Amino acid sequence: MRHPLLAFAAPLAAIAVNLTAAAPAFADEWPSRPIKLVVGYVPGGGTDVVARLLAARLSETLGQSVVVENRAGASGTIGADYVAKAAPDGYTLLMGHSIANVIAPNVLPKINYDPARDFTAVRYVGYVPNVLVVNPSRVQANTVSELIAAAKKQPGKLTYASSGIGSTQHLAGVLFDKIAGTSMVHVPYKGSGQAVADLLAGNVDMNFDTMPTVLEHIRAGKLRALAISTPQRVPGLPNVPTFAEAGIRGFDVTNWYAVMGPKGMPPAVVAKLNDAIGAVMANADTRAKLVAQGVQFGGPDSPAAFGQFVGAELGKYARMTKELNVRAE
């Protein structure tokens, strides 16, 4: 499947890959101790699920432990800031994400890092669709059109959770409101894990969360899926229509994941890490597990291409957040 975000116009200023010179001996020795993979969200969300799967396989491939560390808050920007300020030695990495790396910088009033210059682009992993899910005990709608009708009858009453201000879930809700002509209330949390927990508890009505976060709850019948953000239906949810099929056209919000590091990582270490992640993703068992979580493939596979991709994404979301007037509340 072609990545829906690769059809961008000529890239804007590309993210700085920031590869500085380093002695080959350093790369030969790396990694000589455990590696930290930082996730900017609480455990249980899509980013955390993908990071833990990747970390387990990377530990085997690299011969050193890759440990996931959750540093949650501020739409993932606390974790991103931590990595941006870490030593660029390849031992502190970020599970990069479209929220903290390209959306939140365009929404939050202040972040303490430059998303285009303070990171080393290592490897794009994949993307996951956003799924519109409702709590069936609170929302009786079985289709998007029924949900829109219900929302229009009760403007300002229906609520949607998100993993934070400036998240893809937040942006998806605002975009949905604009296209559908509805007026729903945004309820931000510190991560998808907390947002989905409250949705399951019946404290909010719906969410536009990532597929890994909500898939098991959909299969268990605890959440009802109404639409998915990919251009075509996905194997994991074959009966769930796309937003386009449901009449919501122009719904271009997708979560991507990638591995990034602080600026200035040695090129040889970046190359070694890029190759290791590539090998992990090529493994049939790992790939099957990622697919089972809703991860889709097809994106830039070199650090330079990934850096250009991020630059284009920054420009895309700068335009989108301005048009939708999405700013920190």
Side-chain angles (χ1 to χ4, degrees), residues 43-60:
T47 310
D48 183 72
V49 171
V50 172
R52 290 181 187 279
L53 228 173
L54 190 64
R57 295 301 188 185
L58 275 177
S59 296
E60 298 171 2

Side-chain angles (χ1 to χ4, degrees), residues 266-279:
V269 172
V270 173
K272 191 172 182 178
L273 185 54
N274 179 279
D275 289 344
I277 297 168

Side-chain angles (χ1 to χ4, degrees), residues 1 3 6 124-127 296-302 305 309:
M1 185 183 295
H3 191 303
L6 288 182
Y124 176 90
V125 173
Y127 71 98
Q296 311 291 306
F297 304 101
D301 59 4
S302 72
F309 168 79

Side-chain angles (χ1 to χ4, degrees), residues 3-306:
H3 191 303
L5 299 181
L6 288 182
F8 48 72
L12 304 177
I15 184 174
V17 179
N18 290 310
L19 303 181
T20 59
F26 184 85
D28 293 339
E29 296 170 359
W30 183 92
S32 59
R33 63 178 192 269
I35 299 164
K36 186 185 301 182
L37 180 59
V38 176
V39 172
Y41 305 92
V42 294
T47 310
D48 183 72
V49 171
V50 172
R52 290 181 187 279
L53 228 173
L54 190 64
R57 295 301 188 185
L58 275 177
S59 296
E60 298 171 2
T61 303
L62 294 171
Q64 282 288 348
S65 296
V66 179
V67 182
V68 172
E69 181 175 303
N70 298 87
R71 288 179 172 265
S75 298
T77 60
I78 290 176
D81 182 58
Y82 174 80
V83 174
K85 292 176 172 55
D89 53 14
Y91 292 100
T92 303
L93 304 171
L94 175 69
M95 194 70 222
H97 190 287
S98 49
I99 296 176
N101 291 99
V102 297
I103 301 177
N106 286 305
V107 175
L108 301 182
K110 182 182 180 182
I111 57 173
N112 296 317
Y113 56 88
D114 186 318
R117 291 196 294 268
D118 287 347
F119 297 97
T120 294
V122 177
R123 179 102 186 195
Y124 176 90
V125 173
Y127 71 98
V128 292
N130 286 71
V131 186
L132 169 55
V133 290
V134 299
N135 181 317
S137 67
R138 287 178 60 99
V139 179
Q140 303 305 309
N142 291 296
T143 65
V144 170
S145 59
E146 290 178 359
L147 176 65
I148 292 172
K152 287 183 175 179
K153 285 182 181 178
Q154 309 171 82
K157 183 176 180 181
L158 292 182
T159 57
Y160 67 95
S162 83
S163 63
I165 295 169
S167 65
T168 50
Q169 300 99 311
H170 177 199
L171 199 60
V174 176
L175 187 58
F176 184 90
D177 267 346
K178 180 179 180 180
I179 297 172
T182 53
S183 179
M184 301 186 296
V185 178
H186 174 222
V187 183
Y189 291 82
K190 288 186 177 181
S192 288
Q194 293 178 347
V196 172
D198 245 22
L199 176 60
L200 292 168
N203 296 322
V204 286
D205 298 309
M206 70 192 82
N207 198 340
F208 295 82
D209 220 314
T210 56
M211 189 168 162
T213 310
V214 297
L215 186 57
E216 65 176 279
H217 303 303
I218 295 170
R219 289 173 173 168
K222 296 178 181 178
L223 296 176
R224 181 185 299 128
L226 302 187
I228 195 163
S229 68
T230 41
Q232 294 85 32
R233 297 191 186 196
V234 297
L237 293 171
N239 297 321
V240 178
T242 67
F243 277 95
E245 288 177 318
I248 305 298
R249 300 190 179 279
F251 194 88
D252 186 13
V253 180
T254 306
N255 286 271
W256 51 258
Y257 303 124
V259 175
M260 309 174 84
K263 67 179 179 181
M265 284 177 61
V269 172
V270 173
K272 191 172 182 178
L273 185 54
N274 179 279
D275 289 344
I277 297 168
V280 166
M281 290 169 58
N283 177 275
D285 180 62
T286 304
R287 201 170 181 88
K289 288 181 178 178
L290 287 168
V291 169
Q293 291 297 326
V295 176
Q296 311 291 306
F297 304 101
D301 59 4
S302 72
F306 173 44

